[in-house]
Amino acid sequence: MRAVLLFVLALFAAAAAQAQAPEGRLKKIAAAKSISVAYRADAVPFSFVNDKGQPDGYAIDLCKRVVNSIERQLNVAGLKVNWVPVTVQTRFEAVAKGRADMECGSSTMTLARMKEVDFSSVTFVETTGLLARTDAGVRSLSDLSGKSIAVVAGTTNERAINEQLKRRQMNATVLPFNSRDEALAALEGGKADAFASDRLLLVGAGSKAKDPRALTLLPDQLSFEPYGIVVPRGDAGMRLAVNTGLAQVFGGDEIVEIFRRWFGALGRPSAVLESAYILGTIPE
C-alpha cells in the first residue's frame, strides 16, 4: 500500500513540475539565460537613449523591474538583457517575429494591434495633443482648418486626427512622416502648422527643438491612449510573467518613485492612471 501511495505522489509531483515548466518565450529565456527587450530611441520621456548611450525612460524603468521579476520567477540568476532598438514601424514586428521578447516604449493598445501582438496590463494613460508654433496664432484644433498637421505615420495619433477632422467636418491636410524628429523639423521649418502626437511625447519633442519657446502645446485632448508592454500574441505564460512583475511594482512604493522621477512636475498621477495602477495590482 505504501509503495502505491509513493507512486501516486510521484505522479502528482511530476505533473506539477511539468505544469510549472516554462513554455514559449519563457522557455527560451530560461535556456539562454537572456531576454531581448525592444526599446524606442525617440519616445522621450518613456523610452530614449540617454547621454551615456543607454536606454532610459519611464517604460524602461518599468521593464527593468519586470525583468528582475522574471529572473526570480524563472529562478535564473544574472539574467542578461539584450537591448534591441526599434522604430515606430518595426516595434510590433520585432516581438511578433521573435527578435525581441517584449517592447518597452509608448505603444498604445488597440484591437487591431492585438491581431499581431499582445499587451500587458496598462502602464500609462495618454491622449493625443497638438504642438504649434507660438507665432502662428493657433489656439486649438479648430484654428487649423485649411492648414497642415504633421503626424508620425502608422500611429494611433494619425487615426485620431483623421477621425477628429471628419467628425468636425474640417478641411485640413494631414502630413505623415516616418519619425518624430522629421515631424518636428517640418513644424519648425514651416512645412506644417502643427504636430499631433501623444501630449507628453510632444513635451519631450519640444524640449529638443532649436527654440523650445517658439512652440506651444495646445490644450486639446483628442483621444484615449492606454499604453502597455508589448508581448508575443498567444503566449499566456510570457504575458503572465510580465503582469506579475508589473503587479509587484504597482503594489509597492516603486511605482511612486518611478512616476516622480519622470513626471514629478505633473504632481500626482491622473485619476485614470491611478486607477490603472490599482487595477494592475493583481493579487497572487
Side-chain angles (χ1 to χ4, degrees):
M1 182 69 181
R2 183 172 180 273
V4 174
L5 179 60
L6 290 174
F7 177 71
V8 172
L9 290 175
L11 287 178
F12 276 114
Q18 185 175 9
Q20 295 172 4
E23 298 179 348
R25 295 293 178 91
L26 290 178
K27 183 177 181 179
K28 178 183 77 71
I29 292 167
K33 295 185 178 180
S34 67
I35 183 169
S36 297
V37 181
Y39 70 97
R40 298 264 300 282
D42 64 343
V44 180
F46 296 95
S47 176
F48 62 97
V49 177
N50 62 25
D51 294 339
K52 297 179 180 179
Q54 298 298 315
D56 208 350
Y58 170 85
I60 301 300
D61 277 357
L62 278 181
C63 283
K64 285 180 178 178
R65 286 159 176 79
V66 167
V67 168
N68 289 340
S69 175
I70 292 176
E71 184 180 71
R72 295 192 297 270
Q73 293 174 54
L74 295 177
N75 195 26
V76 176
L79 191 63
K80 180 183 177 183
V81 178
N82 299 318
W83 294 102
V84 180
V86 293
T87 65
V88 169
Q89 291 78 20
T90 64
R91 52 185 164 165
F92 301 121
E93 181 184 35
V95 175
K97 293 192 174 181
R99 293 195 296 273
D101 299 306
M102 60 186 192
E103 187 262 352
C104 304
S106 56
S107 295
T108 299
M109 304 179 191
T110 70
L111 295 175
R113 289 172 176 175
M114 287 180 186
K115 295 176 182 178
E116 182 181 5
V117 294
D118 205 346
F119 292 86
S120 69
S121 301
V122 174
T123 58
F124 203 81
V125 180
E126 254 284 36
T127 181
T128 297
L130 290 163
L131 194 67
R133 292 189 305 279
T134 304
D135 61 4
V138 176
R139 298 177 181 175
S140 70
L141 176 61
S142 301
D143 296 328
L144 290 169
S145 182
K147 299 183 182 296
S148 58
I149 305 171
V151 297
V152 179
T155 61
T156 52
N157 311 119
E158 182 180 21
R159 184 179 66 186
I161 286 297
N162 282 320
E163 289 177 351
Q164 287 286 341
L165 294 177
K166 182 178 180 181
R167 184 174 66 83
R168 302 182 189 207
Q169 297 183 335
M170 286 179 57
N171 181 25
T173 302
V174 177
L175 303 175
F177 292 89
N178 290 325
S179 70
R180 189 162 288 104
D181 288 342
E182 289 181 8
L184 178 63
L187 175 63
E188 290 186 290
K191 295 180 180 179
D193 298 295
F195 173 22
S197 185
D198 294 357
R199 286 178 62 83
L200 285 175
L201 294 180
L202 290 175
V203 172
S207 67
K208 298 191 303 179
K210 296 176 182 177
D211 182 5
R213 294 173 298 179
L215 302 176
T216 299
L217 183 66
L218 305 184
D220 302 78
Q221 297 189 34
L222 304 172
S223 68
F224 173 62
E225 307 285 336
Y227 291 177
I229 296 172
V230 180
V231 295
R233 187 173 187 267
D235 194 330
M238 184 65 184
R239 186 173 188 272
L240 175 60
V242 171
N243 280 343
T244 298
L246 287 176
Q248 292 164 354
V249 175
F250 293 161
D253 294 331
E254 284 186 300
I255 191 58
V256 177
E257 297 171 5
I258 294 171
F259 183 89
R260 284 176 178 170
R261 180 185 179 193
W262 297 106
F263 310 115
L266 301 179
R268 292 178 57 85
S270 66
V272 175
L273 182 56
E274 283 192 334
S275 297
Y277 290 156
I278 293 171
L279 292 172
T281 310
I282 304 170
E284 292 283 350

